[in-house]
Amino acid sequence: MNFVGDKCQIYKNGDKIGTLNFYHYLYAVISLNRNDGGHDHFKLEQEGYSNIHALSQNGEELLKFKANLNPLRIGKRFEVEQLKNDFPQSAIEELIFYVGEILYRKAIPDSLPF
């Protein structure tokens, strides 16, 4: 990773539909291309000194992710709470997938050879 962070392209059905921007200081950005040529930007921030992350758009929280640190509850690593119903369920599920990729990468120490 470089000083600012890494950027990954998102492809769906062979088309580039957006990017994941990984930053090292408490947040990441998901940028998705809209069918009308515009872009939607979402910010994933970690609440200070916690294992809680919030996904927001234009300062309004859409989803909250709470990490479970109990090693015996492997199947329930994150609890996801939907805070607004501004998007169709299929879009929310896709956003959860992108957030999962970001959180997975954050959990891997930089020293591991992945």
Side-chain angles (χ1 to χ4, degrees), residues 1 6 15 34 54 66 68-69 75 79 81:
M1 289 193 188
D6 284 341
D15 297 322
R34 291 196 313 252
K66 299 176 185 174
N68 181 352
L69 300 179
E79 178 182 313
E81 180 182 0

Side-chain angles (χ1 to χ4, degrees), residues 43-48 50-56 60-67 77-84 92 95-96 99 103:
K43 188 174 187 179
L44 181 66
E45 295 179 272
Q46 182 175 0
E47 294 183 7
S50 73
N51 287 302
I52 299 171
H53 295 78
L55 183 71
S56 63
E60 294 188 39
E61 290 186 353
L62 304 172
L63 299 168
K64 192 161 281 216
F65 299 82
K66 299 176 185 174
R77 178 74 172 115
F78 283 93
E79 178 182 313
V80 181
E81 180 182 0
Q82 185 173 348
L83 304 173
K84 296 189 75 132
I92 294 295
L95 284 169
I96 290 170
V99 168
L103 294 176

Side-chain angles (χ1 to χ4, degrees), residues 88-99:
Q89 194 61 35
S90 60
I92 294 295
E93 290 170 2
E94 199 156 332
L95 284 169
I96 290 170
F97 175 77
Y98 301 141
V99 168

Side-chain angles (χ1 to χ4, degrees), residues 1-8 19-31 41-44 46 102 105-106 110:
M1 289 193 188
N2 59 38
F3 180 70
V4 176
D6 284 341
K7 183 183 284 192
C8 294
T19 58
L20 299 179
N21 296 295
F22 299 90
Y23 296 97
H24 293 285
Y25 187 71
L26 297 180
Y27 75 97
V29 175
I30 300 170
S31 301
H41 302 285
F42 303 90
K43 188 174 187 179
L44 181 66
Q46 182 175 0
I102 292 168
R105 288 174 184 248
K106 282 179 57 96
D110 290 339

Side-chain angles (χ1 to χ4, degrees), residues 10-21:
I10 302 171
Y11 288 90
K12 184 175 183 179
N13 299 326
D15 297 322
K16 180 184 167 197
I17 63 164
T19 58
L20 299 179
N21 296 295

Side-chain angles (χ1 to χ4, degrees), residues 105-114:
R105 288 174 184 248
K106 282 179 57 96
I108 298 174
D110 290 339
S111 61
L112 293 178
F114 285 107

